[in-house]
Amino acid sequence: MTYSGDRTIVAIATPPGQGAITLVRLSGLQAKEFANQRFRARGQPDWIARRPLLGYFLDCHGNPLDQVLLTFFPGPASYTGEDLVEISCHGSPVVARQLVEGLVELGAHLAEPGEFTWRAFLNGKMDLAQAEAVRGLIESQTAFQAKVAAEQLEGKVSRTLKPIKDEIVRILCQMETALEFVEDEVELQERGELLEALQTADRQLEQLEESFSFGRIVQEGIMVSITGKPNAGKSSLFNALVLDDRVIVTDVPGTTLDAVTETIDLEGIPARLVDTAGIREAKDALEKLGVQKSLEYLRQAEVVLFVLDQTTPFGEEDFRVWDLVRERCCVLVINKEDLPGRLQVPPEVEKACAATVRVSALEGTHLQELRSSLLKAVTREHRIEREGVMITSIRHKHCIEATRKFLQAGIESYGRGMSEEFPLYDFRKALESLGQITGETTAEDILEEIFSTFCIGK
Ligand SMILES: Nc1nc2c(ncn2[C@@H]2O[C@H](COP(=O)(O)OP(=O)(O)OP(=O)(O)O)[C@@H](O)[C@H]2O)c(=O)[nH]1
Ligand SMILES: [Mg+2]
């Protein structure tokens, strides 16, 4: 990838294919000049900032290609910080391509993936964490993911980091001063006080680091395995939760053999439900494979829905399943509540589970309770407030880890009474790692890697 700020770039910004409207974006020094050469306004041809102009986009002979709306965003008050022109044409891939080709003929370059946002970053319109949030927002699959990304785009991560960074800088200055004016009588904070402030900064970073465990779940979702003995009603529950007759249900134990997955939106968290074969001593080779697969998914799952059939006592088969899931984060689902019950759940089982919910998969009762218990089990497992600032990027997590490593090394040597210059080295490194999150101190190749995962036109 070769980004260059000198040239004027062009790309289609809307998804490929037919639609009502396609948007073509043009950004750079010559954006206005190029667009002007191919545009004939219908009324007043005045290019007023951010006001759409109706007119025709012309081919190289001056013949109209399409009626378009053209909007001019003069830099620096534009997405990229440069002169930017947006042309909305009819949503035909052919028309849009001709439009782009026309601009390329004039000297515009086809934009690389993420190049518009890269320029926005370069021109100080947003920091790196915000630029990454642009991608997060585009890729979000649930409303909650979008909310988190929108907050990050608005600068929530950077705002949380700023006071921590400022504090480290302040302490660094104090230490530098102490080092430089050893002989002089300068008013400086005590070593003990500085150490305390550094530890506070470290704790704040630790909190942020921990938020990743939930942030990752928001981003990638969780896997939920529906596990239990044959005929407990796992497939019925699966169908009820995905709101579809997705898998086969019969009264014959051992109906499900293959594992089937489907993703549901659990208040914003994508939850991948897996319906698996009932676990028991397999009757034949096929069932054996099915049970093996159940166990594999069980291992991968973050949460287990341990399904019991309340018309049967808690028997040997249930104990067998329990042995496999007892160490896991389990929600106990007592199914078939519409039928008379003969089930007594052993107290130790109920106690070890995060929650117990009685449902009828057949009649669809208490499924909302089940969904909230499931969500609660996940949030409790990750001890995170849904409202606080949260990091969702593994890159940010690594930067914070590195920052803390240097910070702690510095705290350690400073605490041991070493001369300032040793811990100062670590604290400078800590600041550098912290700066990588927002892009103040990020190496060129890392930047390229980040922006190359964007889509073209963004
Ligand atoms: N009355 C009643 N019947 C249910 C309920 N849930 C499931 N069943 C019935 O129980 C039988 C087994 O249901 P499945 O959903 O196939 O059970 P399973 O756990 O997937 O069974 P395997 O795939 O064989 O392990 C079917 O006849 C369902 O109609 C329920 O809540 N109430
Ligand atoms: Mg089944």
Side-chain angles (χ1 to χ4, degrees), residues 194-229:
L194 291 181
L195 274 169
E196 216 165 277
L198 286 162
Q199 258 141 6
T200 307
D202 183 54
R203 268 196 302 278
Q204 287 165 333
L205 288 172
E206 183 182 13
Q207 266 179 14
L208 210 55
E209 190 183 330
E210 279 176 357
S211 77
F212 179 71
S213 126
F214 191 58
R216 188 185 62 84
I217 280 177
V218 170
Q219 206 64 18
E220 293 168 18
I222 47 164
M223 191 192 277
V224 181
S225 162
I226 305 183
T227 307
K229 69 178 175 188

Side-chain angles (χ1 to χ4, degrees), residues 143 150 252:
V252 185

Side-chain angles (χ1 to χ4, degrees), residues 71-371:
T71 317
F72 176 49
F73 302 85
S78 69
Y79 180 76
T80 52
E82 310 168 327
D83 278 0
L84 183 101
V85 177
E86 289 189 353
I87 305 164
S88 307
C89 62
H90 288 99
S92 143
V94 181
V95 170
R97 204 173 321 125
Q98 282 175 308
L99 227 122
V100 169
E101 278 164 9
L103 293 163
V104 169
E105 271 169 32
L106 297 177
H109 287 78
L110 292 174
E112 303 273 355
E115 195 168 357
F116 288 88
T117 309
W118 177 74
R119 289 181 178 208
F121 165 67
L122 217 65
N123 293 324
K125 300 297 290 187
M126 55 178 75
D127 65 38
L128 193 54
Q130 288 174 302
E132 289 170 296
V134 170
R135 192 190 53 201
L137 188 59
I138 292 173
E139 289 176 356
S140 55
Q141 287 175 336
T142 70
F144 190 54
Q145 283 178 339
K147 175 177 169 264
V148 172
E151 284 169 356
Q152 291 176 348
L153 178 55
E154 204 236 320
K156 201 166 174 179
V157 173
S158 328
R159 269 203 311 280
T160 309
L161 289 176
K162 176 123 197 333
I164 304 176
K165 201 187 107 196
D166 289 351
E167 183 67 357
I168 302 176
V169 171
R170 187 187 67 81
I171 296 167
L172 220 113
C173 287
Q174 292 260 334
M175 291 171 65
E176 302 255 17
T177 318
L179 198 60
E180 244 162 82
F181 303 98
V182 201
E183 310 293 313
D184 306 317
E185 291 282 313
V186 210
E187 276 285 316
L188 284 175
Q189 250 181 309
E190 294 286 326
R191 202 174 263 240
E193 277 177 52
L194 291 181
L195 274 169
E196 216 165 277
L198 286 162
Q199 258 141 6
T200 307
D202 183 54
R203 268 196 302 278
Q204 287 165 333
L205 288 172
E206 183 182 13
Q207 266 179 14
L208 210 55
E209 190 183 330
E210 279 176 357
S211 77
F212 179 71
S213 126
F214 191 58
R216 188 185 62 84
I217 280 177
V218 170
Q219 206 64 18
E220 293 168 18
I222 47 164
M223 191 192 277
V224 181
S225 162
I226 305 183
T227 307
K229 69 178 175 188
N231 238 19
K234 299 179 296 301
S235 299
S236 308
L237 186 65
F238 178 84
N239 284 342
L241 288 172
V242 304
L243 304 172
D244 193 8
D245 275 340
R246 178 77 174 75
V247 289
I248 298 173
V249 167
T250 73
D251 56 3
V252 185
T255 303
T256 306
L257 287 174
D258 222 350
V260 180
T261 70
E262 200 69 61
T263 302
I264 61 167
D265 181 344
L266 205 65
E267 288 182 35
I269 296 174
R272 216 169 129 220
L273 293 182
V274 193
D275 179 28
T276 58
I279 293 173
R280 65 171 172 187
E281 196 71 60
K283 297 257 184 293
D284 52 43
L286 202 58
E287 191 177 2
K288 200 166 173 188
L289 285 175
V291 173
Q292 255 169 28
K293 215 165 202 185
S294 297
L295 298 180
E296 261 166 48
Y297 274 105
L298 186 60
R299 264 192 296 278
Q300 292 173 37
E302 269 93 359
V303 187
V304 178
L305 294 183
F306 177 27
V307 186
L308 299 177
D309 176 349
Q310 78 140 357
T311 66
T312 60
F314 197 96
E316 203 183 311
E317 284 186 326
D318 293 309
F319 272 115
R320 216 187 143 113
V321 179
W322 176 240
D323 265 345
L324 293 166
V325 302
R326 59 189 310 157
E327 303 290 324
R328 315 295 303 275
C329 171
C330 282
V331 172
L332 191 63
V333 185
I334 300 178
N335 188 30
K336 310 196 187 180
E337 68 164 348
D338 54 300
L339 296 176
R342 291 173 55 211
L343 173 74
Q344 286 245 319
V345 183
E348 75 268 18
V349 172
E350 191 152 357
K351 213 169 132 227
C353 288
T356 304
V357 195
R358 290 173 185 278
V359 303
S360 165
L362 191 72
E363 299 193 341
T365 50
H366 295 123
L367 293 180
Q368 190 45 43
E369 279 80 353
L370 176 56
R371 280 189 211 101

